[in-house]
Amino acid sequence: MVRVRVRVAAAAGALLWVFAVIMVITIPVIVKQQVAAKVQIDPESGLAYTMWRDIPVPFYMSLYFFEVKNPQEILRGEKPVLEQRGPYVYREYRQKSNITFHNNYTVSYREYRHYHFCPEQSAGNETDQIVLPNMLALGAALMVEDLPFALKLIFSTALKTFNETPFIKKSVKEILWGYDDPLVDFLNRVLPGILPFKGKFGLFVEMNNSNTGLFTVYTGANDITKVHLVDNWNGIKEVNYWHSEQCNMINGTAGEMWPPFMTPSDTLTFYSPDLCRSLDLVYQQSGWTFDIPSFRYVAPKTMFANGTGYPPNEGFCPCRESGVLNVSTCRYNSQVFVSQPHFYNADPALREAVDGLEPNENDHALFIDIHPLTGIPLNVSIKFQLNMFVKAVRGIMETGNIQPVLLPLLWFDETGYIDGPPLHIFYKYLVLVPIICEYLQYFLMILGILFILIAVILEIVSRKQQNVRIDPSNGFAYTVWQDVPIPFYLAIYFFHIENPDAILNGEKPSVAQRGPYVYREYRPKGNVTFHENYTVSYRSYRQFHFVPERSIGNESDELVLPNMLALGAGILAEQFSPLMKVMFNAAMKEFNQTAFFKKTVNDIMWGYDDELITFLKKLFPNLLPFKDKFGLFADLNNTDTGLFTINTGVDDINKVHQISAWNGLKKVNFWHSEQCNMLNGTAGELWPPFMDRSDTLKFFSPDACRSLELIYQRSGRSYGLPSFRYVAPKTMFANGTVYPPNEGFCPCRESGVLNVSTCRDNAQIFVSHPHFYNADPVLWNAINGLHPNEKDHALFIDIHPLSGIPLNVSIKLQLNLFLKSAKGITITGKMKTMLLPLIWFDESGNIDGPILDTFYTFMEVIPMVLKCVQYIILALGCLILTITAIHGIIFLNQNRHKTSSSKNIGNKSADSRNKHV
């Protein structure tokens, strides 16, 4: 049998190898064919065509203005001082129209742009007033510089007549989208042709609701390497703005998408109608953008270098300092220069000529993250700056003594990134599927090599998966039990008393929740001892450390709370003789004891000194269970929860973690029925594996002095792992009247609270859910400031049902003090009988970090892989059987046909029969 299994495994491994080799050869071809079919500009290509036609990526244009802070000083020849204002953000809509396909595998279109202001993303409004150079007046002054003196005089007079100053204050909206200026009409009348426009003047007045020209690009239908490449723009193959054939070339795409199958050696080339030239971006690094592999392309330092620094750029001259592009030849001879923001990557002399510029790569470098397989951009940030050359023009008095300088006007960041449904669809079809196909071939290849070991691996992993016994040799499970790796936090919420005097006069208490005050909880185990009866004993120690960064407040915060020690003693003193009551009242007065006091969080939690403790110890030696400080959690920090003895599960895995004894007892004696005194379930850390929805989650709580039982609520997933959520039933703290099995926990009050005085040295302490959630409404209606709700106040445990390991825990309980007016005890005043909430806490923890990764690998990934392997083996087995059956049928038909042919042809030769067959 073993040999048969080995042969089957070997045959299956060989078959997998064959499949893997076939996939290695065919999958790259298939992927390339599919990508080529999907990214060409074809209405039938689906996603890529839809993205090209109606770009789903939200584009935003963020504008930053350089406000001039010293205009008068500039006129006197001093250095300009600038201050950046913005951003002013506009949502940019891009819509293609006039889409026409041609027979030469090209398509023509016009792309229109619309801009809408986004005040919620802007650092200001369109009405903001900004001081900038008077671009119209100063630009026109440069244009008339070489005209006869008489014309310059007319121009200068016109500037004075129309109150044109070298620097103007205009709103953002006017600067961008235009404003009326009588100088425009004057110049168009006196010097026809000097201005290329009529009407309003603005930096972007021609951009909104306009198109970028008629683009004709290749569809890629005949050659996918040419897809999106520009064939012509406005009917021309090259522009004529520049002074060399290379600079006038229209290269690359229209700047939206690029051909697929890119490599790091490729450049990202596109033609920009706004800059009147083609631009080349260079590969910088590989990475991931939105979980998609990407190449980052950036501007080379030579992009705007002058001809001296980079000879191929000589055709873009006449040039100034390196780092700026003179676009005057395509902008009606206006002295406008383009650069990167703050003159980033430009000659330092440019930024040193003005104050207020701070170029840096993080804020001012442009980039495009592109998916190399498809050529589709994933994240885009195109940043450019507009600069104006200004200087004093002889004969134009308004230009004063302005020194020649390139004065920055504004810079913009045009951004967009793939997101939402397009990202999901893109990732699914163009990233995930090719990756799966690529890795599947390697997976099959490795699987073929390891196939013979599958049975052994399956057995080993199955043992590890199910072996959650408490055994030092058990590795992972024992480590999880011994040193619980889950970080636990104790979040404390206090009920601050807002009307202490009114409560003493018998009025309704008003409380305000304060907190949380969060403590990191450590739970090291000590005294671990294994026994021969398959049990182990240990003590679980607790240590608490304040975590200020998670807290709302500090341990030094002062809160008003009931004087638990004095009021508790006062209620007990009600049974004293009249003489003893007089002594008690005198002691309260002597020690300045009041019904309500103000203490710090640290005092309330971990204890404070009180002379009353010494007095009560002397008067009633057995009254108090502690010696020194008094605090709610004074006996919890750096203490253990008792000696637990639990089953290791070595003899019976279904009993693992179940309590055998606590402090040597098989049951407690705090309560009044055998059922209530039972030690049920585990110690509340781990549970037996293989849980079912019908199971309950039981554990013994030393703090509550009883066993608790949580019930199944729903199934789900926690941190990628399947989980069962268990919650407290409404009957957990129900009284005996509402839920008879709880009669043993009485004497009881209203339903929803547990009287723990029998295990808390007769202190009148009651436990409930926070804000009396799931309790009798009488309880929380008696207090102002309580708002019980399931989301904030219901406890739960999310548990991994296969292993019994909790994934997410939130145990929420509230401590309440019983108060009343004690006859003859003055400190209790006229208080109504009530349960007054003191604090509630949320003890929470969740599996995370390396332990989650390890747990997920062993409990989910490997079993899932092995299950998939089983189905693959089953499918391959069926395939092999099907192929065998088909070959068998063909073989039988061939033999039947051969036999029939032999009978019919009788004495034909053997060669003829073989040929026939």
Side-chain angles (χ1 to χ4, degrees):
M1 179 63 72
V2 174
R3 292 183 62 83
V4 171
R5 290 179 179 175
V6 171
R7 289 173 181 173
V8 170
L15 186 60
L16 288 172
W17 255 97
V18 172
F19 282 147
V21 171
I22 293 173
M23 291 183 71
V24 168
I25 297 172
T26 60
I27 282 183
V29 177
I30 295 172
V31 169
K32 194 168 184 177
Q33 289 175 344
Q34 287 299 309
V35 170
K38 293 293 183 182
V39 301
Q40 62 178 280
I41 304 176
D42 182 350
E44 303 297 324
S45 67
L47 174 66
Y49 178 76
T50 303
M51 292 182 66
W52 173 83
R53 184 191 61 192
D54 301 309
I55 298 176
V57 175
F59 275 92
Y60 293 91
M61 183 167 66
S62 302
L63 292 149
Y64 300 82
F65 291 88
F66 292 102
E67 183 172 35
V68 177
K69 304 303 291 184
N70 61 338
Q72 297 305 318
E73 288 80 358
I74 296 174
L75 286 173
R76 294 197 294 267
E78 295 182 21
K79 187 178 183 180
V81 177
L82 308 177
E83 180 181 332
Q84 181 173 289
R85 297 275 300 276
Y88 298 89
V89 183
Y90 292 82
R91 173 74 160 87
E92 181 178 347
Y93 296 89
R94 298 181 178 184
Q95 184 180 10
K96 288 184 174 66
S97 65
N98 307 105
I99 299 175
T100 306
F101 287 88
H102 307 292
N103 293 331
N104 63 341
Y105 305 109
T106 62
V107 58
S108 298
Y109 66 90
R110 291 182 183 273
E111 184 171 82
Y112 289 84
R113 296 180 292 190
H114 309 277
Y115 298 91
H116 295 275
F117 185 62
C118 299
E120 66 280 1
Q121 296 187 37
S122 303
N125 295 299
E126 282 191 304
T127 56
D128 290 354
Q129 299 284 317
I130 297 178
V131 177
L132 286 180
N134 188 337
M135 295 162 277
L136 184 60
L138 292 177
L142 288 173
M143 292 180 181
V144 302
E145 182 178 20
D146 296 327
L147 295 180
F149 181 78
L151 290 177
K152 287 196 288 186
L153 182 61
I154 294 173
F155 177 75
S156 182
T157 304
L159 292 180
K160 191 170 296 183
T161 302
F162 297 126
N163 295 318
E164 296 287 345
T165 57
F167 297 93
I168 56 174
K169 180 183 285 189
K170 293 289 182 182
S171 69
V172 170
K173 187 174 183 178
E174 289 175 321
I175 296 167
L176 291 176
W177 312 117
Y179 58 91
D180 294 313
D181 195 317
L183 182 63
V184 174
D185 295 333
F186 171 78
L187 291 174
N188 281 325
R189 285 198 313 270
V190 176
L191 302 170
I194 193 172
L195 297 182
F197 59 89
K198 296 179 181 180
K200 291 187 175 183
F201 171 75
L203 280 175
F204 290 179
V205 70
E206 295 180 350
M207 288 179 57
N208 205 6
N209 299 311
S210 63
N211 65 75
T212 55
L214 181 66
F215 274 96
T216 302
V217 301
Y218 287 97
T219 64
N222 64 326
D223 184 356
I224 197 61
T225 62
K226 296 172 64 177
V227 65
H228 300 297
L229 295 181
V230 177
D231 176 55
N232 65 77
W233 175 70
N234 286 337
I236 58 176
K237 298 283 187 178
E238 61 180 34
V239 295
N240 59 358
Y241 304 122
W242 314 109
H243 310 298
S244 73
E245 184 177 354
Q246 179 180 348
C247 293
N248 279 320
M249 291 176 65
I250 297 177
N251 297 322
T253 72
E256 295 177 335
M257 296 182 182
W258 281 265
F261 317 123
M262 302 184 70
T263 66
S265 61
D266 294 327
T267 56
L268 210 64
T269 306
F270 62 97
Y271 175 71
S272 170
D274 296 323
L275 300 186
C276 313
R277 60 165 286 191
S278 296
L279 298 172
D280 286 332
L281 304 188
V282 295
Y283 170 87
Q284 184 188 54
Q285 64 185 31
S286 299
W288 292 82
T289 303
F290 312 120
D291 295 326
I292 297 173
S294 62
F295 286 174
R296 169 156 290 193
Y297 284 85
V298 297
K301 293 184 178 181
T302 58
M303 174 177 279
F304 294 140
N306 58 23
T308 304
Y310 185 62
N313 280 356
E314 186 66 40
F316 294 118
C317 291
C319 297
R320 291 187 59 83
E321 297 87 350
S322 192
V324 293
L325 172 68
N326 186 346
V327 293
S328 60
T329 55
C330 71
R331 291 294 173 226
Y332 315 106
N333 292 318
S334 59
Q335 292 297 303
V336 175
F337 291 74
V338 175
S339 69
Q340 296 189 67
H342 286 242
F343 292 128
Y344 174 69
N345 271 344
D347 190 322
L350 291 168
R351 66 173 183 269
E352 290 169 359
V354 295
D355 285 337
L357 302 185
E358 297 176 357
N360 66 84
E361 181 178 4
N362 187 52
D363 295 328
H364 305 133
L366 65 85
F367 67 85
I368 296 179
D369 291 337
I370 201 162
H371 182 231
L373 181 65
T374 60
I376 294 177
L378 306 173
N379 193 13
V380 177
S381 179
I382 301 299
K383 302 171 183 175
F384 288 121
Q385 178 172 298
L386 299 184
N387 312 276
M388 182 178 183
F389 177 65
V390 297
K391 70 172 184 176
V393 178
R394 187 177 179 184
I396 309 295
M397 297 180 61
E398 284 70 19
T399 60
N401 292 318
I402 300 175
Q403 295 300 306
V405 66
L406 266 184
L407 198 60
L409 301 174
L410 63 82
W411 71 271
F412 60 86
D413 182 5
E414 199 169 17
T415 61
Y417 58 88
I418 192 168
D419 196 9
L423 174 61
H424 301 320
I425 297 173
F426 183 90
Y427 183 81
K428 179 179 178 181
Y429 289 104
L430 295 177
V431 178
L432 189 59
V433 172
I435 288 176
I436 290 174
C437 291
E438 182 178 353
Y439 283 100
L440 183 59
Q441 62 195 25
Y442 301 115
F443 170 73
L444 290 178
M445 195 174 291
I446 295 171
L447 192 63
I449 298 173
L450 300 178
F451 198 85
I452 298 173
L453 303 175
I454 286 297
V456 177
I457 295 173
L458 185 59
E459 179 66 20
I460 293 173
V461 174
S462 179
R463 287 176 180 270
K464 281 189 173 290
Q465 178 179 319
Q466 299 184 22
N467 194 356
V468 293
R469 301 171 301 170
I470 303 174
D471 183 348
S473 65
N474 194 24
F476 175 69
Y478 180 75
T479 302
V480 170
W481 173 81
Q482 185 185 39
D483 298 307
V484 179
I486 297 174
F488 276 92
Y489 292 91
L490 181 71
I492 305 290
Y493 298 83
F494 290 87
F495 291 101
H496 172 75
I497 305 296
E498 294 190 313
N499 60 339
D501 295 334
I503 297 173
L504 286 173
N505 287 323
E507 296 182 23
K508 186 177 182 180
S510 293
V511 300
Q513 180 175 290
R514 297 285 181 84
Y517 297 90
V518 182
Y519 294 83
R520 175 72 161 88
E521 182 177 349
Y522 297 89
R523 299 181 175 182
K525 286 185 174 66
N527 306 103
V528 178
T529 307
F530 287 88
H531 308 291
E532 293 181 354
N533 64 342
Y534 306 113
T535 62
V536 59
S537 298
Y538 66 93
R539 292 183 181 275
S540 183
Y541 294 88
R542 292 184 292 194
Q543 299 169 346
F544 298 91
H545 296 277
F546 186 61
V547 185
E549 63 272 14
R550 285 176 171 249
S551 304
I552 300 179
N554 294 297
E555 285 190 301
S556 59
D557 291 353
E558 291 188 321
L559 305 172
V560 176
L561 287 181
N563 188 339
M564 295 160 277
L565 185 60
L567 289 173
I571 293 173
L572 291 176
E574 188 178 23
Q575 308 301 322
F576 293 173
S577 65
L579 179 60
M580 292 290 288
K581 288 182 180 179
V582 170
M583 292 176 60
F584 182 85
N585 288 333
M588 293 295 106
K589 188 174 182 180
E590 174 67 22
F591 298 125
N592 296 319
Q593 297 295 318
T594 56
F596 299 93
F597 58 24
K598 181 182 287 186
K599 294 287 185 184
T600 66
V601 170
N602 187 68
D603 289 340
I604 298 167
M605 288 289 295
W606 312 115
Y608 56 91
D609 295 313
D610 198 313
E611 291 179 317
L612 181 61
I613 297 175
T614 306
F615 170 77
L616 291 175
K617 283 288 186 180
K618 291 179 180 179
L619 189 61
F620 310 107
N622 298 320
L623 179 64
L624 301 179
F626 54 89
K627 294 181 179 180
D628 301 315
K629 293 185 177 182
F630 172 73
L632 282 175
F633 285 18
D635 58 346
L636 289 182
N637 204 6
N638 298 312
T639 61
D640 64 84
T641 54
L643 181 65
F644 276 95
T645 303
I646 64 175
N647 289 284
T648 62
V650 172
D651 60 328
D652 183 357
I653 195 63
N654 294 315
K655 294 168 64 178
V656 67
H657 302 297
Q658 298 283 3
I659 294 178
S660 173
W662 178 67
N663 287 336
L665 300 173
K666 294 291 184 180
K667 60 180 180 180
V668 297
N669 58 358
F670 303 123
W671 314 110
H672 311 297
S673 72
E674 184 175 354
Q675 178 181 349
C676 292
N677 279 319
M678 291 175 63
L679 298 175
N680 296 322
T682 73
E685 294 180 336
L686 302 168
W687 280 264
F690 317 121
M691 299 187 70
D692 187 78
R693 289 177 176 84
S694 60
D695 294 330
T696 56
L697 211 63
K698 300 177 183 178
F699 61 97
F700 175 71
S701 169
D703 297 322
C705 311
R706 59 165 285 192
S707 295
L708 299 174
E709 186 172 351
L710 307 187
I711 58 174
Y712 171 86
Q713 184 189 55
R714 59 178 170 83
S715 300
R717 296 190 76 83
S718 295
Y719 309 105
L721 296 164
S723 63
F724 287 174
R725 170 156 290 190
Y726 285 86
V727 297
K730 292 184 179 181
T731 59
M732 175 177 279
F733 296 137
N735 60 23
T737 304
V738 174
Y739 185 61
N742 279 358
E743 187 65 39
F745 294 119
C746 291
C748 298
R749 291 188 57 84
E750 297 85 353
S751 190
V753 293
L754 173 68
N755 185 347
V756 293
S757 60
T758 55
C759 71
R760 289 296 172 222
D761 305 294
N762 292 318
Q764 293 297 301
I765 298 295
F766 289 73
V767 175
S768 69
H769 294 300
H771 286 241
F772 293 125
Y773 172 68
N774 270 346
D776 190 324
V778 170
L779 291 167
W780 52 270
N781 283 329
I783 312 291
N784 289 328
L786 300 186
H787 307 284
N789 64 85
E790 180 180 3
K791 180 183 177 183
D792 296 327
H793 305 134
L795 65 83
F796 67 86
I797 296 179
D798 291 336
I799 202 161
H800 186 244
L802 182 64
S803 64
I805 295 177
L807 306 174
N808 194 12
V809 177
S810 180
I811 301 298
K812 302 171 183 174
L813 295 174
Q814 179 172 297
L815 301 183
N816 311 279
L817 180 66
F818 174 70
L819 295 178
K820 70 172 185 176
S821 177
K823 187 176 181 181
I825 306 301
T826 56
I827 196 172
T828 60
K830 299 178 182 179
M831 283 191 295
K832 291 182 178 179
T833 302
M834 71 182 86
L835 279 180
L836 189 62
L838 299 174
I839 65 167
W840 73 270
F841 60 85
D842 181 5
E843 197 170 21
S844 62
N846 58 273
I847 193 168
D848 198 6
I851 194 70
L852 173 61
D853 299 335
T854 304
F855 188 84
Y856 186 80
T857 300
F858 276 103
M859 294 295 177
E860 288 297 309
V861 176
I862 295 179
M864 189 184 301
V865 169
L866 292 172
K867 185 176 288 187
C868 291
V869 169
Q870 294 174 24
Y871 290 124
I872 291 173
I873 294 170
L874 183 62
L876 290 176
C878 292
L879 179 62
I880 293 170
L881 289 174
T882 302
I883 293 173
T884 303
I886 292 173
H887 275 279
I889 293 170
I890 293 173
F891 179 76
L892 290 174
N893 287 336
Q894 284 179 335
N895 277 281
R896 189 180 298 113
H897 186 70
K898 183 177 179 180
T899 303
S900 175
S901 299
S902 297
K903 291 180 179 179
N904 291 332
I905 62 178
N907 58 354
K908 284 189 177 180
S909 66
D911 289 341
S912 298
R913 290 200 304 271
N914 289 336
K915 182 178 179 180
H916 178 73
V917 174

